[in-house]
Amino acid sequence: SASVGRSGRGKRLNKRLTREELEELTEKTKFGVKEVRALYSRFRRLAPHGTLNREQFRNTMGVLGLTDNTFLPDRMFKVFDADGDDALNFEEFATSLAVMIRGSEDEKLRLSFDMTAGKRGAKGISNEDFHSLIDACGAMMNS
């Protein structure tokens, strides 16, 4: 839920997740307890108030060489943002990352397809989106 790690609305994220939050996230993500804690600690540094907006998320993608072309980071953000509130909370961030890292081949393909199409559960990809994906991959390879 959006309140994972929060003690109250608008407040900074708690230093640690509760045992219940930790259990729920390890089950949902297939990450171990240490991995969830490490990811939470990193997320807290990036988003001390609990959410990342699109621009903050895009800035974190610089380490992946995704700075010049915004297509992939913007599409990742759009698909990671499960509730569509234009902000990534820790649960959305962790569960989407988990699919990328620990998901089955089918889950990873679905996520990649949705990112290219720009929405969850997409039925198709436009020619324009496909070309944008190719351009973004080329920019990433050349950075």
Side-chain angles (χ1 to χ4, degrees):
S1 71
S3 63
V4 168
R6 282 197 184 213
S7 54
R9 190 117 178 93
K11 293 185 179 177
R12 295 176 73 79
L13 282 180
N14 293 330
K15 197 170 181 88
R16 290 189 177 83
L17 293 167
T18 65
R19 180 177 292 138
E20 293 80 22
E21 290 169 332
L22 202 52
E23 285 174 8
E24 183 182 332
L25 285 164
T26 54
E27 190 174 314
K28 275 185 178 180
T29 63
K30 313 274 189 295
F31 288 141
V33 170
K34 284 183 180 177
E35 291 169 309
V36 171
R37 283 187 176 139
L39 192 58
Y40 181 74
S41 176
R42 183 173 208 144
F43 186 83
R44 249 181 99 247
R45 284 194 300 277
L46 296 170
H49 293 285
T51 59
L52 285 174
N53 66 33
R54 188 180 302 264
E55 189 168 330
Q56 290 169 312
F57 179 75
R58 194 183 301 138
N59 291 338
T60 67
M61 296 290 101
V63 296
L64 301 176
L66 297 174
T67 51
D68 297 334
N69 188 309
T70 61
F71 180 81
L72 281 174
D74 284 349
R75 293 301 175 91
M76 288 171 77
F77 182 88
K78 208 169 186 180
V79 172
F80 282 22
D81 181 20
D83 62 7
D85 67 351
D86 221 27
L88 288 186
N89 62 47
F90 179 66
E91 185 176 339
E92 290 170 323
F93 183 74
T95 54
S96 295
L97 213 53
V99 170
M100 293 178 79
I101 296 169
R102 296 274 163 82
S104 68
E105 289 303 312
D106 285 346
E107 290 170 326
K108 290 176 184 178
L109 281 171
R110 178 82 246 170
L111 184 66
S112 298
F113 186 85
D114 288 350
M115 285 191 297
T116 303
K119 64 181 179 185
R120 287 177 178 257
K123 301 285 186 238
I125 297 172
S126 72
N127 205 18
E128 183 182 341
D129 285 342
F130 182 72
H131 286 287
S132 295
L133 173 67
I134 300 302
D135 290 345
C137 289
M140 190 170 68
M141 300 292 268
N142 294 324
S143 66

